[in-house]
């Protein structure tokens, strides 16, 4: 059964927006590119009354009184909270712009991303979305993409991770951002072309070795620089344990699936109780990575309500992703929790808060984040 949640009880969590609301993410110029589409989204949801009880089948977490002991040569990833090789501890992630038009499918190596953002790319062409894949271990990439242009919002989001933004051009509105010291490290259009029988705009991919040579070519630091944020991006629970939203909070909701108001590609996520992960679907089918035939799955799903400003008649836009007090949802283990978000500066990390004003804890693992336009926020549907 599908449900949408109305906009009433959300007032109770506004106290979480303790941070000063800042202006939107400005605008300005860079490189030309095609006009694209993306599905807008808006939804002020949450019930105002009694807590809806949730019962979710889930695998028992590895939860013991003994702290987990990291194997030698490993550390807890700042992107997922999971153990990974210490060899890449200081390595900056990349944030790769992946075309999400149906012609660009199938994608390759998206399952190697630690975090995947989905957001509308233009107000035209049915508001098609584009993916931004944040990958820590980019040395493991064989063929990622196809790669396409970027937008100002993506520059701001990539900055949270101190990531090297990988794209192919974009509108002139990007220029003012790339002129800033914290955004100068980006790579545009210097990746490989693969003959896949499609038009040229769908043939660019990051192949193994491309990043190493491009980083050297442009004198980019492969390790974190002075603009990096310290510590984990999210407030992860201790590795080996899990947060159970319906046990911790009085207010939580069943979320065995979520349909997003991205009408062009009809993206949704479906919870698999056997794996404890959300599986991504779009264009009416389950999404599989062509590189390994694996589904694209996430332990965490975050939906972030965000207003936007259209920058020109071509439909280029920027999300007002700097601010505080706006609504969000956090989904894990088949349960959803209402919260608010705050981002206080261009390079600052987006934080999420519960109704008590405390930073929300999330489970370790991969995360999907959708920026949902405020004009379609009320069209998000939970199953």
């Amino acid at each position: 059964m599908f449900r949408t949640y109305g906009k009433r009880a959300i007032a109770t969590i506004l106290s979480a927006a303790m941070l000063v609301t800042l202006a939107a993410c400005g605008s300005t110029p860079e490189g030309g590119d095609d006009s694209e589409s993306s599905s807008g989204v808006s939804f002020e949801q949450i019930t105002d009354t009694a807590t809806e009880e949730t019962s979710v089948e889930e695998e028992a977490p590895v939860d013991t009184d003994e702290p987990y002991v990291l194997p030698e040569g490993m550390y807890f990833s700042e992107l997922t909270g999971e153990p990974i090789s210490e060899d890449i501890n200081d390595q900056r992630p990349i944030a790769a712009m992946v075309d999400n038009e149906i012609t660009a499918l199938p994608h390759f190596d998206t399952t190697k991303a630690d975090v995947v953002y989905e957001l509308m790319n233009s107000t035209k062409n049915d508001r098609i979305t584009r993916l931004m894949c944040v990958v820590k271990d980019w040395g493991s990439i064989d063929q990622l993409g196809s790669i396409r242009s970027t937008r100002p919002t993506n520059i701001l989001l990539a900055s949270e991770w101190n990531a090297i933004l990988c794209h192919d051009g974009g509108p002139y509105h990007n220029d003012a951002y790339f002129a800033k010291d914290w955004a100068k490290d980006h790579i545009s259009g210097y990746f490989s072309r693969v003959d896949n029988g499609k038009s040229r705009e769908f043939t660019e991919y990051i192949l193994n070795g491309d990043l190493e040579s491009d980083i050297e070519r442009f004198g980019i630091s492969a390790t974190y620089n002075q603009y990096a944020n310290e510590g984990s991006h999210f407030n992860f629970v201790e590795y080996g344990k899990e947060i159970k939203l319906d046990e911790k909070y009085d207010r939580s909701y069943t979320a065995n699936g979520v349909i997003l108001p991205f009408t062009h590609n009809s993206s949704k996520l479906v919870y698999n109780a056997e794996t404890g992960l959300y599986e991504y679907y779009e264009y009416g089918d389950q999404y599989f990575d062509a590189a390994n035939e694996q589904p694209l799955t996430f332990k965490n799903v975050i939906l972030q309500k965000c207003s936007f400003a259209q920058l020109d008649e071509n439909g280029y836009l920027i999300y007002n992703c700097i601010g505080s007090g706006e609504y969000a949802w956090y989904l894990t283990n088949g349960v959803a929790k209402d919260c608010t978000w705050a981002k206080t500066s261009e390079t600052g990390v987006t934080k999420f808060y519960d109704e008590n004003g405390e930073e929300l804890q999330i489970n370790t693992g991969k995360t999907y984040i959708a920026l949902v336009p405020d004009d379609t926020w009320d069209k998000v549907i939970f199953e």
Side-chain angles (χ1 to χ4, degrees):
M1 162 173 139
F2 300 118
R3 296 184 303 287
T4 57
Y5 291 114
K7 22 174 146 172
R8 291 162 283 196
I10 194 69
T12 63
I13 60 174
L14 289 179
S15 61
M18 315 154 309
L19 304 174
V20 179
T21 301
L22 301 180
C25 333
S27 77
T28 330
E30 164 170 19
D33 156 89
D34 46 277
S35 285
E36 270 111 47
S37 61
S38 162
S39 220
V41 184
S42 149
F43 99 106
E44 288 180 22
Q45 321 186 228
I46 301 181
T47 57
D48 61 322
T49 59
T51 302
E52 176 180 323
E53 295 206 40
T54 56
S55 63
V56 183
E57 267 187 32
E58 54 185 8
E59 294 182 18
V62 181
D63 200 344
T64 68
D65 293 332
E66 296 298 322
Y68 176 82
V69 178
L70 270 169
E72 186 176 352
M74 306 286 279
Y75 85 103
F76 290 120
S77 167
E78 62 276 31
L79 279 71
T80 66
E82 298 178 323
I84 61 172
S85 174
E86 233 172 26
D87 292 343
I88 58 172
N89 192 332
D90 295 326
Q91 179 173 286
R92 297 169 70 181
I94 63 164
M97 298 301 305
V98 175
D99 193 343
N100 205 28
E101 178 54 87
I102 193 168
T103 309
L105 299 179
H107 295 150
F108 291 79
D109 268 358
T110 49
T111 53
K112 291 183 179 175
D114 300 293
V115 177
V116 175
Y117 287 87
E118 183 173 10
L119 54 155
M120 80 167 156
N121 200 51
S122 167
T123 59
K124 290 192 172 183
N125 303 319
D126 201 24
R127 291 182 165 188
I128 189 172
T129 64
R130 187 154 291 176
L131 305 180
M132 186 173 79
C133 296
V134 184
V135 185
K136 175 70 172 177
D137 187 10
W138 44 260
S140 68
I141 289 172
D142 295 309
Q143 178 181 341
L144 175 61
S146 62
I147 302 301
R148 207 66 179 269
S149 61
T150 194
R151 300 291 181 265
T153 308
N154 299 102
I155 301 171
L156 290 158
L157 295 175
S159 75
E160 298 191 15
W161 306 90
N162 197 222
I164 301 168
L165 185 61
C166 299
H167 62 107
D168 190 352
Y172 75 90
H173 304 290
N174 293 337
D175 290 347
Y177 293 94
F178 284 136
K180 300 186 179 187
D181 288 341
W182 52 264
K184 285 181 177 178
D185 290 350
H186 66 105
I187 303 170
S188 175
Y190 282 84
F191 305 111
S192 297
R193 294 286 173 175
V194 175
D195 184 2
N196 56 13
K198 300 177 185 179
S199 301
R200 181 175 172 79
E201 64 265 32
F202 302 111
T203 63
E204 186 173 4
Y205 297 85
I206 298 173
L207 299 188
N208 191 270
D210 283 354
L211 289 165
E212 290 85 349
S213 61
D214 289 343
I215 285 171
E216 182 177 0
R217 180 202 304 255
F218 296 108
I220 294 172
S221 172
T223 56
Y224 286 120
N225 62 26
Q226 68 268 36
Y227 301 104
N229 293 294
E230 293 185 6
S232 293
H233 191 89
F234 298 114
N235 183 25
F236 290 116
V237 299
E238 182 183 340
Y239 182 69
K241 300 184 183 297
E242 288 204 351
I243 184 82
K244 297 179 180 177
L245 298 174
D246 50 344
E247 293 181 4
K248 179 171 182 177
Y249 294 102
D250 291 334
R251 190 170 66 238
S252 63
Y253 309 91
T254 299
N256 289 316
V258 59
I259 299 172
L260 296 162
F262 296 142
T263 55
H264 183 91
N265 64 322
S266 302
S267 53
K268 66 177 183 177
L269 294 110
V270 177
Y271 180 63
N272 183 329
E274 292 185 4
T275 64
L277 303 174
Y278 284 90
E279 299 171 344
Y280 184 72
Y281 288 70
E282 66 174 350
Y283 297 109
D285 291 310
Q286 186 172 1
Y287 177 110
F288 289 92
D289 184 334
N292 53 30
E293 299 183 350
Q294 295 299 306
L296 186 60
T297 60
F298 304 94
K299 185 63 179 178
N300 306 301
V301 173
I302 295 174
L303 311 179
Q304 183 179 341
K305 180 185 178 185
C306 201
S307 62
F308 65 92
Q310 184 168 321
L311 300 175
D312 59 31
E313 67 281 0
N314 295 315
Y316 294 124
L317 66 124
I318 186 165
Y319 279 91
N320 300 318
C321 61
I322 302 176
S324 66
E326 282 288 11
Y327 310 145
W329 286 103
Y330 169 51
L331 286 67
T332 191
N333 294 334
V335 182
K337 175 66 191 144
D338 54 285
C339 52
T340 58
W341 64 265
K343 176 176 167 70
T344 60
S345 68
E346 291 174 321
T347 60
V349 172
T350 303
K351 298 289 187 179
F352 299 89
Y353 298 93
D354 65 18
E355 62 266 43
N356 302 312
E358 297 176 353
E359 186 177 356
L360 199 71
Q361 280 191 309
I362 76 167
N363 284 318
T364 58
K366 296 187 177 185
T367 300
Y368 166 93
I369 303 173
L371 266 62
V372 179
D374 62 348
D375 62 2
T376 52
W377 181 252
D378 58 356
K379 294 182 173 62
V380 171
I381 299 174
F382 288 153
E383 292 182 312

